[in-house]
């Protein structure tokens, strides 16, 4: 097993899937389990999906961009 991505490329990952080009889509659930105040109704959702790319083909992701954001507690990607 080898680490392919860590901070600062991703934060609070809960799931990851690869596409046919070897790019990784990582679900980040940054606001779990609650927003700032416990049991408060969330007004801003911090969950997102990041797209990770290995530019040099060494098996480690080199860059990360936000693919989808403001998601309400995302848990998986496929």
């Amino acid at each position: 097993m080898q680490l392919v991505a860590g901070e600062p490329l991703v934060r609070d990952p809960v799931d990851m899937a690869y596409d046919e080009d070897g790019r990784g889509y990582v679900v980040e659930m940054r606001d779990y389990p609650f927003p700032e105040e416990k049991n408060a109704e969330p007004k801003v959702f911090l969950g997102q999906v990041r797209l990770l790319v290995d530019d040099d083909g060494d098996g480690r992701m080199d860059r990360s961009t936000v693919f989808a954001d403001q998601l309400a507690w995302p848990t998986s990607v496929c």
Side-chain angles (χ1 to χ4, degrees):
M1 184 172 285
Q2 176 183 345
L3 179 68
V4 296
E7 289 187 10
L9 294 180
V10 295
R11 196 174 97 199
D12 298 330
V14 295
D15 193 29
M16 181 174 183
Y18 291 96
D19 69 8
E20 62 275 3
D21 295 320
R23 296 175 296 190
Y25 294 84
V26 177
V27 176
E28 295 180 328
M29 193 185 303
R30 300 182 304 148
D31 53 352
Y32 180 81
F34 299 105
E36 299 80 31
E37 188 177 317
K38 189 174 182 179
N39 296 325
E41 186 66 30
K43 294 176 178 54
V44 176
F45 296 102
L46 299 176
Q48 61 187 21
V49 176
R50 286 195 162 272
L51 173 61
L52 303 177
V53 179
D54 176 12
D55 291 318
D56 56 12
D58 66 355
R60 292 189 53 99
M61 299 302 181
D62 298 302
R63 62 186 161 98
S64 170
T65 57
V66 175
F67 181 79
D69 63 357
Q70 298 181 12
L71 303 175
W73 300 324
T75 57
S76 64
V77 64
C78 62

